[in-house]
Amino acid sequence: MPSAPSAADDFALQRWAAHGYETDSASLGDAGYWTQLNERDLTDVEQPVLPAGFRFRTADEVGPKAAVQAHLDAWTPSTYKTEGYPGVRQTTAYRGDLHILVEAPDGTMGSSTIMWLDEANKAAEFEPVGTHPDFRRLGLGRAMLLHGMLLARAAGATRMTVACLSAPGHPAARGLFYSVGFRKFTWEAPLIRTEAAD
C-alpha cells in the first residue's frame, strides 16, 4: 500500500486514482490499520489530576536512559535504542522540557509523550503517546495529555494535534484523546492498486 493521503485531500486522491489506485474498502473495516488526525484548541484545558504518589517529569530531568526506557516499556516490541535518542534530541522541533513523563512511586516511568512545537503556526503535536502496561487504566495518559497541553499553551501554542488508529476495532487511543477534548479533523484514505494506469 502506498503512503496514504488524507481523505480530505481531493487533489491527492485524484492523482492516486490517475495511477490506478482507489480506496481499499477492506482496510476500512474493524481491523483496519489506518489513522485519523485529531485536533483541539487550547483555550480551555482541564487541570490534570494524577493518582497519589505519581508526578510529572520531563526528559531533561530524568535523562536519556529513563526517557528511552519509558518508550520501550510502552511500545514493546520496539527497535528504539538509547543510541538513537541523540538523533531525536537534535530534531529541530524537539524540546526536552516538552518531552513529558509520569513517574510512578517506585521510580518507573509509567507514561510518556513528546510534544513537537511548531512556533510559526502556534501548534503542537503529541507523538508518540504511550503507557507502561503495568500502569494502564490509572488515568496517567489522560493527566499527562492535559498537563502537556497546558505546557504547550504556555510555550505559545493555540492548538494541538494527535494521530491514532481510526478503525472501529482500535478504540482505546481514540477514546483517550476524545476524553481530553480532541475530535477527528481528517483521516487517511487507505489505497489499493486495482488497475494499471492509462
Side-chain angles (χ1 to χ4, degrees):
M1 185 175 76
S3 176
S6 163
D9 190 343
D10 291 333
F11 176 76
L13 292 173
Q14 290 171 10
R15 297 293 298 152
W16 280 109
H19 292 280
Y21 289 90
E22 66 180 36
T23 301
D24 180 10
S25 57
S27 292
L28 295 176
D30 281 0
Y33 200 80
W34 48 286
T35 61
Q36 71 181 44
L37 181 67
N38 307 285
E39 73 169 358
R40 64 155 290 170
D41 67 46
L42 298 177
T43 55
D44 185 19
V45 179
E46 185 181 335
Q47 288 297 316
V49 177
L50 283 172
F54 289 80
R55 62 179 177 154
F56 296 116
R57 303 295 300 276
T58 69
D60 283 348
E61 294 170 344
V62 302
K65 185 176 179 182
V68 170
Q69 190 60 52
H71 179 94
L72 294 174
D73 288 341
W75 296 103
T76 299
S78 174
T79 59
Y80 194 47
K81 297 186 184 318
T82 305
E83 295 79 12
Y85 185 59
V88 173
R89 291 179 59 84
Q90 291 168 7
T91 304
T92 304
Y94 179 86
R95 286 178 43 174
D97 62 324
L98 296 180
H99 185 165
I100 307 303
L101 305 100
V102 176
E103 185 177 20
D106 68 359
T108 303
M109 296 304 147
S111 201
S112 69
T113 188
I114 301 176
M115 290 185 294
W116 303 93
L117 180 64
D118 177 350
E119 294 183 55
N121 291 301
K122 296 185 177 181
E125 177 184 19
F126 288 116
E127 170 57 32
V129 177
T131 298
H132 190 299
D134 292 348
F135 297 101
R136 290 177 183 161
R137 313 301 298 173
L138 298 177
L140 303 188
R142 186 175 194 281
M144 179 179 65
L145 293 171
L146 291 169
H147 177 68
M149 286 188 278
L150 291 172
L151 292 179
R153 186 171 70 185
T158 59
R159 64 187 175 91
M160 292 290 303
T161 62
V162 65
C164 65
L165 290 176
S166 191
H170 304 287
R174 186 172 57 251
L176 168 62
F177 299 138
Y178 283 9
S179 80
V180 293
F182 284 96
R183 290 297 177 261
K184 181 167 69 174
F185 174 63
T186 189
W187 60 99
E188 284 183 332
L191 301 177
I192 188 170
R193 187 164 192 153
T194 57
E195 60 183 45
D198 293 335

